[in-house]
Amino acid sequence: MPKSISIPKQLASVKALRKCSDLEKAIATTALIFRNSSDSDGKLEKATAKDLLQTQFGNFTEGQETKPKYREILSELDEHTENKLDFEDFMILLLSITVMSDLLQNIWSVKIMK
């Protein structure tokens, strides 16, 4: 699929996703964003990964710059032996930032009606 097609349209074109759960669609969205941003080898440049963190994951990274854990995560990204990330490394990066973010703490505080 060309990169100019929007993520929602790309998701809609995958027939199996039509009956998927919200969580499955979230992972599929992440996979498509990764693929659309990666090179022909299916790898993501570190600079592109950092850009995606700012543009696509900014609500999770906002205000985290002073936290030692966040700086450690970005430091590990900078120290990554390759200049590129595969999808597994990218997912670990997203999950690591999610777990330590203030936004996740706000999400946990939301009252659930049962």
Side-chain angles (χ1 to χ4, degrees), residues 1-19:
M1 253 178 243
K3 291 182 181 184
S4 61
I5 297 174
S6 71
I7 295 294
K9 285 184 180 181
Q10 289 180 55
L11 287 170
S13 72
V14 180
K15 290 180 184 177
L17 291 176
R18 292 183 186 145
K19 55 186 173 187

Side-chain angles (χ1 to χ4, degrees), residues 69-81:
K69 186 65 179 170
Y70 181 76
R71 288 190 299 219
E72 179 184 329
I73 291 167
L74 287 187
S75 174
E76 288 174 11
L77 176 61
D78 287 335
E79 293 171 6
H80 197 271
T81 55

Side-chain angles (χ1 to χ4, degrees), residues 110-114:
V110 172
K111 301 282 187 227
I112 300 172
M113 301 293 285
K114 291 187 179 182

Side-chain angles (χ1 to χ4, degrees), residues 22-58:
D22 290 341
L23 183 58
E24 291 167 323
K25 288 177 184 174
I27 296 297
T29 299
T30 305
L32 285 171
I33 289 170
F34 177 88
R35 194 197 73 199
N36 288 346
S37 301
S38 63
D39 62 19
S40 60
D41 293 330
K43 302 259 182 154
L44 199 61
E45 297 279 343
K46 285 185 198 180
T48 304
K50 286 182 178 182
D51 183 58
L52 284 176
L53 289 178
Q54 291 177 338
T55 61
Q56 294 287 323
F57 215 58

